[in-house]
């Protein structure tokens, strides 16, 4: 009994250290690793029928997911060694690279289900839109540091970063990828608002942005079908509303505590994209309402920690770190809202992954890189705070 208490106390001290000047935020690391573990388990369960159908291997997709996870962790180790000053210094070239990749995917990209979003790199398909999100937020954080007074005082300073967003959005809409465009739009506006842009500017441009989204939906028949099926999926349960009705049935079967891990019926090729866009529905069916709450708690706890980290960095006058951390927090939370909203019928389907959980190499790697940036920001902030204390003494 004493040994058990000692072990529990040791874990508590590791997870919640008494000294705030530790090297890194252990809670942030634990949250990210927990989400990755949930992703491996639920992808392994949800992808079994698809793996058997495509490659006669029930673990085909989870093997790939595991490989992507190893790659993500390896790249994240490298990212942890890069000072934030380097990201601030090279944010412009990073954005240019993202634009070139988005142009390249339109020229030689792989067409899947009518969308050209992937660059074939041998056994791996790269989705430039994921890199484009990170590149835009890294650039925007640098712009807000360089031109903070212009953003707050002049329309021109407010519109310049939106022109950059417009270039990326145009390339994304040609794929087409409205979901990633909306995520970029909301996150960019959130960062600009926190940098001190005027409320009148937001009201005007948000109204214009909503008008453009409505026009894009009306102009594309498949988007219009998504909206109408979202409003009443049971009107055409075997046509335009098929995916959503199957997802809702998955949640209904899950009830409070789920059918048990591996016992989903909807993953038996009833629900398309069960291990990617609609993995949350399979999680709800197998783990129930309790599992859904647990997964959402992990994701939003990570997003809240990012927002709090950004606030601490801004207070410490580390503006670039603060804006980037806040941008990552908004990105994670809004993309989760869209993915879960689409799976549960609160929003039209958008084809966005659940951060750190859904199957998909590009998304997993880029979001792991974003978490590594948060850890690096926290590390540098702790170092600066510790040095300030030493100088005071």
């Amino acid at each position: 009994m004493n040994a058990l208490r000692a072990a529990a106390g040791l874990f508590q001290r590791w997870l919640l250290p008494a000294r705030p000047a530790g090297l890194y935020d252990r809670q942030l690391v634990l949250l990210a690793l927990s989400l990755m573990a949930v992703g491996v388990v639920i992808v392994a369960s949800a992808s079994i029928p698809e793996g058997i159908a495509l490659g006669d291997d029930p673990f085909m997709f989870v093997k790939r997911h595991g490989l992507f996870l190893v790659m993500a962790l390896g790249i994240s180790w490298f990212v942890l060694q890069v000072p934030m000053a380097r990201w601030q210094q090279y944010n412009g070239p990073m954005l240019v690279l993202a634009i070139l990749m988005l142009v390249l995917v339109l020229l030689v990209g792989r067409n899947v289900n009518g969308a050209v979003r992937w660059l074939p790199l041998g056994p791996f398909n790269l989705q430039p839109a994921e890199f484009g999100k990170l590149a835009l937020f890294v650039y925007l954080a640098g712009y807000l540091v360089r031109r903070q007074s212009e953003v707050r005082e002049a329309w021109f300073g407010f519109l310049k970063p939106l022109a950059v967003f417009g270039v990326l959005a145009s390339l994304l809409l040609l794929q087409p990828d409205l979901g990633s465009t909306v995520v970029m739009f909301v996150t960019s506006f959130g960062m600009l608002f926190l940098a001190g842009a005027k409320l009148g500017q937001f009201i005007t441009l948000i109204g214009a942005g909503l008008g453009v989204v409505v026009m894009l939906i009306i102009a594309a028949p498949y988007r219009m079908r998504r909206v109408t099926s979202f409003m009443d999926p049971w009107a055409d349960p075997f046509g335009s509303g098929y995916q959503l009705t199957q997802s809702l049935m998955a949640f209904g079967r899950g009830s409070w505590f789920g059918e048990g891990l591996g016992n989903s019926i909807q993953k038996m090729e009833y629900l398309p994209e069960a291990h990617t866009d609609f993995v949350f529905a399979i999680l709800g069916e197998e783990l129930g309402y309790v599992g859904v709450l647990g997964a959402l708690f992990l994701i939003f706890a990570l997003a809240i920690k990012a927002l709090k980290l950004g606030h601490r960095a801004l207070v410490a006058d580390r503006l670039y770190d603060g804006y980037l951390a806040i941008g990552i927090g908004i990105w994670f939370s809004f993309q989760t809202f869209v993915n879960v909203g689409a799976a549960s019928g609160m929003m039209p389907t958008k084809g966005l992954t659940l951060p750190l959980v859904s199957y998909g190499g590009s998304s997993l790697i880029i979001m792991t890189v974003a978490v590594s940036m948060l850890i690096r920001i926290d590390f540098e902030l702790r170092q600066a705070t510790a040095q300030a204390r030493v100088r005071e003494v």
Side-chain angles (χ1 to χ4, degrees):
M1 189 67 178
N2 291 334
L4 185 61
R5 288 178 179 175
L10 181 64
F11 177 76
Q12 184 178 13
R13 287 193 297 274
W14 179 85
L15 180 61
L16 301 169
R19 294 182 297 107
L23 288 178
Y24 60 95
D25 189 333
R26 295 167 181 174
Q27 291 180 356
L28 184 59
V29 174
L30 187 62
L31 286 169
L33 292 177
S34 298
L35 282 169
M36 292 174 185
V38 170
V40 170
V41 172
I42 203 66
V43 167
S45 176
S47 64
I48 288 175
E50 191 78 6
I52 294 174
L54 294 180
D56 198 26
D57 181 1
F59 302 111
M60 181 177 75
F61 287 100
V62 75
K63 289 176 184 176
R64 293 181 183 179
H65 190 76
L67 179 61
F68 295 148
L69 185 56
V70 171
M71 292 173 58
L73 292 174
I75 294 171
S76 70
W77 178 86
F78 172 76
V79 171
L80 285 172
Q81 316 306 314
V82 181
M84 294 310 300
R86 292 289 178 268
W87 295 103
Q88 184 174 3
Q89 181 181 359
Y90 294 108
N91 64 79
M94 186 175 175
L95 179 67
V96 172
L97 177 60
I99 293 173
L100 292 175
M101 290 172 65
L102 289 171
V103 172
L104 186 62
V105 77
L106 295 174
L107 300 176
V108 298
R110 182 185 175 193
N111 190 313
V112 178
N113 296 329
V116 184
R117 301 177 185 174
W118 295 268
L119 284 174
L121 302 176
F124 179 70
N125 290 319
L126 176 66
Q127 190 173 3
E130 297 296 334
F131 179 72
K133 294 175 193 174
L134 182 63
L136 176 63
F137 306 147
V138 168
Y139 169 80
L140 189 54
Y143 177 84
L144 292 175
V145 174
R146 296 190 303 271
R147 307 289 184 181
Q148 189 175 49
S149 58
E150 288 186 18
V151 171
R152 293 179 175 180
E153 297 171 6
W155 266 94
F156 186 64
F158 179 74
L159 291 175
K160 279 195 291 186
L162 294 181
V164 174
F165 161 76
V167 173
L168 291 169
S170 300
L171 294 171
L172 286 170
L173 291 172
L174 290 173
Q175 296 183 4
D177 188 354
L178 182 59
S180 294
T181 305
V182 172
V183 170
M184 285 185 177
F185 177 80
V186 171
T187 305
S188 299
F189 266 67
M191 294 174 70
L192 287 166
F193 181 76
L194 292 170
K198 295 178 181 178
L199 185 60
Q201 297 170 333
F202 277 97
I203 295 174
T204 302
L205 289 179
I206 286 176
L210 291 175
V212 170
V213 170
V214 171
M215 289 175 59
L216 289 170
I217 291 172
I218 295 173
Y222 79 94
R223 291 185 185 133
M224 197 66 190
R225 284 195 299 271
R226 285 184 177 181
V227 172
T228 55
S229 64
F230 146 73
M231 296 173 66
D232 186 10
W234 301 102
D236 188 11
F238 299 105
S240 60
Y242 179 77
Q243 207 167 19
L244 180 53
T245 55
Q246 297 299 317
S247 179
L248 293 175
M249 283 191 277
F251 282 113
R253 293 190 75 251
S255 189
W256 284 96
F257 300 104
E259 293 291 313
L261 192 62
N263 292 330
S264 167
I265 297 297
Q266 297 306 114
K267 72 182 181 185
M268 307 300 290
E269 300 192 350
Y270 291 105
L271 177 60
E273 311 295 340
H275 58 297
T276 54
D277 300 345
F278 282 84
V279 71
F280 195 73
I282 303 302
L283 186 149
E285 184 180 5
E286 296 190 347
L287 302 182
Y289 184 67
V290 173
V292 164
L293 286 183
L296 289 178
F297 169 80
L298 291 174
I299 295 175
F300 285 113
L302 191 152
I304 289 171
K305 287 193 73 67
L307 294 173
K308 287 185 175 180
L309 174 60
H311 177 260
R312 288 196 290 117
L314 292 176
V315 170
D317 204 31
R318 301 178 67 89
L319 300 182
Y320 180 79
D321 297 0
Y323 289 134
L324 182 56
I326 288 172
I328 293 172
I330 297 172
W331 170 22
F332 273 51
S333 56
F334 183 72
Q335 183 155 325
T336 299
F337 173 73
V338 173
N339 178 278
V340 174
S344 59
M346 294 187 296
M347 298 184 67
T349 55
K350 290 292 182 186
L352 292 172
T353 58
L354 190 63
L356 300 176
V357 176
S358 295
Y359 174 84
S362 299
S363 174
L364 181 61
I365 290 171
I366 292 299
M367 289 192 165
T368 305
V369 167
V371 173
S372 300
M373 287 180 169
L374 293 176
I375 296 171
R376 180 72 196 194
I377 291 170
D378 179 76
F379 168 74
E380 292 187 7
L381 184 59
R382 289 170 185 246
Q383 273 197 326
T385 304
Q387 291 169 1
R389 287 174 180 166
V390 170
R391 286 195 295 268
E392 286 176 4
V393 173

